[in-house]
Amino acid sequence: MPGVGKSVVAKQVARILNAKYVDLSEYVIEHKLYVEYDSEINSYIIDEDRVKEAIRALAKKYRKVVLSSHYGEITPKDLVEKIIVLRIDPEELEKRLKQRGWSRIKILENIVAEILSVCTANAIKEHGVSKVVEIDATNKSIETIIREIMMALENKLPIGPRIDWFERKSLEIIEKYLKELEELEKNYVVY
């Protein structure tokens, strides 16, 4: 999920673990590991097989790698020790993505993905619940998030999904985002 602090946190965790840090999105673009750029959605369509090969090559070369990514589910299973999913309150995510100048539809798509736990669900589907830990990064310092990640790597935090915005946020707030996205998507025509 963009806007939660993945890059800053992952760089520091890599330093602590004496591991190679890789921002997977940047790596994909730099090494042209994509099929095409889709201007309609302002995103690269990655070549998953080539990305998996690249991750495997990085792991072989560096032994320890910390990947910063929102598509951890494509990492080869045998290379994954833990997938840490940083979560953030949807309203805070909205503020951060607005500050970055994102389009309203992209902001809403990411907020809805956060509400629905898409990154967690994808990681669990691919790697199993025992390798996935969620951390709520809302209003936490980088140091606190890193401390929680280190606890997760030492198996001192609960595994699996534990952040449910349907329990933490009012139904009105969630419905507001869902309805606005639905309305925008009605007007968004792809040819």
Side-chain angles (χ1 to χ4, degrees):
M1 189 63 48
V4 297
K6 282 185 314 292
S7 298
V8 172
V9 168
K11 284 177 187 174
Q12 290 193 33
V13 169
R15 185 183 50 76
I16 291 167
L17 297 175
N18 196 27
K20 173 71 173 171
Y21 164 78
V22 176
D23 180 311
L24 197 53
S25 293
E26 288 178 8
Y27 192 87
V28 164
I29 294 167
E30 183 180 322
H31 292 87
K32 297 183 178 23
L33 302 175
Y34 52 86
V35 179
E36 65 180 321
Y37 180 78
D38 186 334
S39 59
E40 292 291 327
I41 60 170
N42 296 324
S43 292
Y44 287 93
I45 309 302
I46 66 170
D47 182 330
E48 289 190 19
D49 291 333
R50 290 180 57 217
V51 172
K52 286 179 183 180
E53 289 173 21
I55 293 169
R56 194 167 290 289
L58 286 166
K60 186 175 181 180
K61 181 176 181 179
Y62 296 106
R63 317 257 316 131
K64 278 189 199 176
V65 180
V66 172
L67 294 176
S68 176
S69 171
H70 58 274
Y71 35 78
E73 68 271 9
I74 69 167
T75 304
K77 288 181 185 183
D78 60 309
L79 299 179
V80 174
E81 182 177 330
K82 283 277 190 248
I83 293 182
I84 309 297
V85 181
L86 296 183
R87 305 289 306 276
I88 188 167
D89 181 287
E91 292 176 289
E92 178 62 27
L93 179 60
E94 179 180 24
K95 290 176 195 168
R96 291 183 187 189
L97 297 182
K98 275 183 182 177
Q99 288 174 341
R100 291 182 178 189
W102 285 37
S103 71
R104 188 65 185 159
I105 194 162
K106 290 298 279 184
I107 291 171
L108 289 167
E109 286 171 347
N110 280 277
I111 289 170
V112 170
E114 175 62 34
I115 290 169
L116 298 176
S117 307
V118 170
C119 291
T120 301
N122 290 345
I124 290 171
K125 181 180 176 187
E126 188 62 32
H127 297 287
V129 72
S130 66
K131 291 191 175 187
V132 179
V133 176
E134 289 186 324
I135 294 175
D136 185 352
T138 309
N139 299 322
K140 290 183 181 171
S141 69
I142 298 299
E143 294 75 21
T144 299
I145 296 167
I146 291 169
R147 193 169 34 257
E148 289 186 28
I149 289 171
M150 300 313 290
M151 289 172 62
L153 294 175
E154 296 168 1
N155 297 315
K156 294 179 180 175
L157 285 182
I159 58 172
R162 53 190 195 127
I163 299 166
D164 184 348
W165 298 121
F166 287 97
E167 289 179 359
R168 297 184 184 193
K169 305 302 288 182
S170 73
L171 189 56
E172 292 80 22
I173 290 171
I174 291 172
E175 284 180 336
K176 173 189 82 161
Y177 289 127
L178 294 172
K179 286 179 181 178
E180 187 180 353
L181 179 59
E182 182 180 33
E183 284 301 312
L184 281 175
E185 286 179 335
K186 283 180 187 176
N187 298 320
Y188 183 76
V189 181
V190 178
Y191 295 96

